[in-house]
Amino acid sequence: MTILVIAEHDNKVVAPATLNTVAAAAKIGGDIHVLVAGQAVGAVAEAAAKIAGVTKVLVADNAAYAHQLPENVAPLVAELGKGYSHILAAATSNGKNILPRVAAQLDVDQISEIISVESADTFKRPIYAGNAIATVQSNAAVKVITVRATGFDPVAAEGGSAAVEAVAAAHDAGTSSFVGEELAKSDRPELTAAKIVVSGGRGMQNGDNFKHLYALADKLGAAVGASRAAVDAGFVPNDMQVGQTGKIVAPQLYIAVGISGAIQHLAGMKDSKVIVAINKDEEAPIFQVADYGLVADLFEAIPELEKLV
Amino acid sequence: MKVLVAVKRVVDYNVKVRVKADNSGVDLANVKMSMNPFCEIAVEEAVRLKEKGVATEIVVVSVGPSTAQEQLRTALALGADRAILVESAEDLTSLAVAKLLKAVVDKEQPQLVILGKQAIDSDNNQTGQMLAALSGYGQGTFASKVEVSGDTVAVTREIDGGAQTVSLKLPAIVTTDLRLNEPRYASLPNIMKAKKKPLEVLTPDALGVSTASTNKTVKVEAPAARSAGIKVKSVAELVEKLKNEAKVI
């Protein structure tokens, strides 16, 4: 068995989610190869070669892959993937975009967002916003799988010494082109990788009030998230949304402030180790999953909390 | 141009589902069913394209049981012109649905196909991408903005770090994200009118599509329950617990 892992990267650095995906591959067992597709990705390939447990790094360095457009990358992965038992990618926006296209080209069903490996062909994944866990078995010749990062502890980024091999194949479907992107700038830890996450909801009342959460987050070294209500109201950008349709997080500590705790929000954070809820409505559903609940006005509680931690 | 919109009948998003005692699945008997929220956004976008004069006809399609006609009628009431139901009782995988939709795309030859980014039951997030692969079309997934100009469509996509814009040659596939638009409600007169709009029923056999699957669901379990927490009385007590009991700060 040999497993192909698609590296998550921005042409400069390997994203941490790649380490969780390699960890899932290690649980399946067998040789692990990593594919780095992009443009001018020498540094990414070097970093990928150092990941513990990786035996080979394939590098497809081509202008057609610069923005990892699925129309161009999927044929490459499908072509290379035929020789593998499994193809794995992180369930990031990139992985979700590309991998189903690969699966369809290989004419196999995909298994999305696995949270555990039961055996080489059997996996667990959440369905219905995490309210049920399905065990799925695949008899596909090539098993195509996306991996939920929070389900697997990352492997070490250092210690490996894989061989790096260039892949010549260049696919340019010519059906799509990159126009531009607007990335949110943040000095705080990345939401999905943070040890502590402080999230605000509708109860924050406006975007300006999020400064109280930023101040608390900076003191704790935490990332700041939000509920859909806060995003829809325009308090914060949508890449901060935690939930079924946003990011899935599982930090050591999740502090939900002014968040009622709808099913769709819980889907994104209920695997956090410790959950704290601060809400003035003592009937809010968030208190049913919170380890520590505080019924209080957040505008008094948050500044006080910031002083005491 | 013709726009094809795929919609799915799913358990209503407000329902808290329960796993069946025999672990064969979730209990959907007597549970409220609705159109998948992302599909509502897809229908709304198609209707807006028609209102702008970009789309000339909206065909809405669903793959599912005969009861999915209710969701198709809803889409017709919202502004779709006609509907197609590919009737299938089985619980199909995303690949099987994509193959059925591909057959409908071949038949209808739409310039734009709009789907939701994921169904809130299976949470797969696969069908649109798979349909794009099978058709050989470009894909604009997780769309928060769609602008058709000439023979291309510019799609702004929600990505992990922010937003990205891609340009796709038509015909193309778009999947909707939550912030693409705010779906409208169907008015009573439109609900009445929708009953008279055409609704064609097809079968996978008639489309010549095999729905065989390489995946099998072995069992479905309830997630591990969290143990009940406590309510603290003050911020000071909260900090003390986090430091000394939970040891997370």
Side-chain angles (χ1 to χ4, degrees):
Chain A
M1 260 189 336
T2 314
I3 302 164
L4 183 65
V5 172
I6 318 297
E8 172 86 11
H9 68 88
D10 60 356
N11 290 332
K12 294 184 200 86
V13 293
V14 177
T18 308
L19 303 177
N20 305 78
T21 312
V22 171
K27 288 229 163 109
I28 296 169
D31 270 359
I32 301 171
H33 296 179
V34 171
L35 171 68
V36 178
Q39 190 181 25
V41 284
V44 178
E46 254 175 60
K50 289 189 189 133
I51 296 174
V54 175
T55 54
K56 195 200 274 186
V57 175
L58 303 171
V59 186
D61 201 327
N62 193 292
Y65 308 137
H67 300 285
Q68 297 175 52
L69 295 173
E71 296 81 2
N72 301 346
V73 175
L76 170 75
V77 177
E79 185 181 292
L80 293 171
K82 281 194 184 111
Y84 289 86
S85 61
H86 299 70
I87 304 174
L88 268 56
T92 52
S93 59
N94 216 16
K96 290 176 186 176
N97 194 24
I98 293 169
L99 222 58
R101 206 169 166 115
V102 173
Q105 291 193 327
L106 291 170
D107 196 23
V108 298
D109 286 302
Q110 177 184 301
I111 305 179
S112 293
E113 304 222 18
I114 62 163
I115 52 169
S116 85
V117 174
E118 302 297 296
S119 70
D121 67 358
T122 308
F123 309 89
K124 284 191 176 180
R125 62 176 299 262
I127 53 175
Y128 291 90
N131 287 304
I133 307 296
T135 304
V136 184
Q137 192 172 29
S138 165
N139 63 16
V142 184
K143 293 163 184 57
V144 177
I145 297 164
T146 61
V147 176
R148 181 173 286 190
T150 57
F152 300 88
D153 292 329
V155 297
E158 301 282 337
S161 57
V164 178
E165 196 177 285
V167 177
H171 296 268
D172 192 347
T175 50
S176 62
S177 57
F178 172 83
V179 178
E181 64 188 2
E182 248 180 84
L183 300 180
K185 287 187 183 68
S186 173
D187 301 329
R188 294 189 184 85
E190 210 243 320
L191 195 51
T192 53
K195 293 229 167 4
I196 302 177
V197 173
V198 181
S199 277
R202 199 194 305 272
M204 297 305 295
Q205 294 178 4
N206 59 50
D208 194 40
N209 284 336
F210 263 76
K211 66 178 185 235
H212 300 298
L213 297 191
Y214 294 134
L216 174 63
D218 288 344
K219 203 132 177 223
L220 291 167
V224 178
S227 70
R228 185 186 163 193
V231 173
D232 279 353
F235 299 173
V236 290
N238 57 41
D239 52 276
M240 282 170 65
Q241 185 184 329
V242 172
Q244 183 184 18
T245 61
K247 296 200 167 106
I248 312 287
V249 301
Q252 294 291 305
L253 173 61
Y254 187 90
I255 306 178
V257 183
I259 292 176
S260 64
I263 296 171
Q264 292 78 14
H265 185 73
L266 300 183
M269 47 62 83
K270 67 180 179 170
D271 292 326
S272 306
K273 186 160 173 275
V274 174
I275 297 173
V276 170
I278 301 174
N279 205 305
K280 63 181 175 192
D281 174 12
E282 61 180 316
E283 302 295 319
I286 190 78
F287 287 119
Q288 291 162 20
V289 299
D291 299 283
Y292 302 106
L294 175 65
V295 181
D297 182 351
L298 67 94
F299 296 106
E300 286 163 23
I302 296 301
E304 193 184 342
L305 184 56
E306 190 209 328
K307 254 182 241 144
L308 290 177
V309 295
Chain B
M1 79 180 180
K2 189 194 277 190
V3 179
L4 183 73
V5 181
V7 301
K8 185 176 184 184
R9 175 185 171 88
V10 298
V11 64
D12 189 84
Y13 74 97
N14 274 319
V15 172
K16 190 161 188 325
V17 296
R18 277 186 178 56
V19 171
K20 285 187 196 165
D22 65 356
N23 292 120
S24 61
V26 300
D27 194 355
L28 295 181
N30 303 317
V31 166
K32 186 184 175 201
M33 303 295 277
S34 301
M35 191 191 298
N36 179 46
F38 292 99
C39 303
E40 288 182 1
I41 295 169
V43 172
E44 175 67 29
E45 195 63 19
V47 173
R48 289 186 189 190
L49 286 172
K50 195 174 174 192
E51 285 168 350
K52 276 191 237 164
V54 176
T56 48
E57 188 187 23
I58 302 169
V59 182
V60 60
V61 56
S62 189
V63 177
S66 61
T67 44
Q69 290 194 19
E70 291 167 27
Q71 279 63 46
L72 288 171
R73 290 287 171 205
T74 304
L76 292 170
L78 291 168
D81 296 295
R82 60 188 172 87
I84 300 170
L85 173 66
V86 181
E87 196 167 330
S88 157
E90 318 153 64
D91 216 356
L92 299 180
T93 63
S94 298
L95 183 62
V97 172
K99 285 179 178 174
L100 291 166
L101 293 177
K102 164 71 165 57
V104 174
V105 165
D106 287 346
K107 198 164 157 286
E108 295 286 339
Q109 297 287 319
Q111 285 296 99
L112 191 63
V113 186
I114 313 180
L115 302 88
K117 81 162 176 182
Q118 75 190 65
I120 60 164
D121 52 0
S122 59
D123 279 336
N124 271 331
N125 195 334
Q126 299 173 4
T127 307
Q129 294 89 316
M130 287 178 160
L131 175 60
L134 297 175
S135 320
Y137 296 164
Q139 67 188 49
T141 52
F142 326 144
S144 59
K145 196 173 166 196
V146 175
E147 273 180 300
V148 178
S149 60
D151 58 356
T152 61
V153 56
V155 180
T156 301
R157 312 176 48 237
E158 294 196 1
I159 59 171
D160 287 336
Q164 178 194 65
T165 305
V166 292
S167 173
L168 309 171
K169 277 190 188 155
L170 295 175
I173 312 287
V174 167
T175 74
T176 64
D177 215 319
L178 279 173
R179 268 159 290 277
L180 180 58
N181 59 48
E182 187 83 36
R184 70 192 68 188
Y185 292 98
S187 66
L188 188 59
N190 286 343
I191 292 170
M192 301 311 289
K193 273 186 227 160
K195 292 184 179 172
K196 296 203 178 73
K197 289 186 180 176
L199 193 158
E200 183 185 1
V201 180
L202 299 171
T203 62
D205 284 346
L207 291 167
V209 174
S210 157
T211 55
S213 154
T214 57
N215 279 359
K216 188 175 89 187
T217 299
V218 183
K219 65 178 170 188
V220 175
E221 300 158 291
R226 288 188 77 95
S227 50
I230 56 160
K231 286 222 172 95
V232 294
K233 289 195 174 54
S234 68
V235 173
E237 188 187 348
L238 175 63
V239 173
E240 189 272 322
K241 296 273 189 205
L242 290 178
K243 277 188 177 152
N244 302 323
E245 198 176 274
K247 296 186 170 54
V248 283
I249 58 172

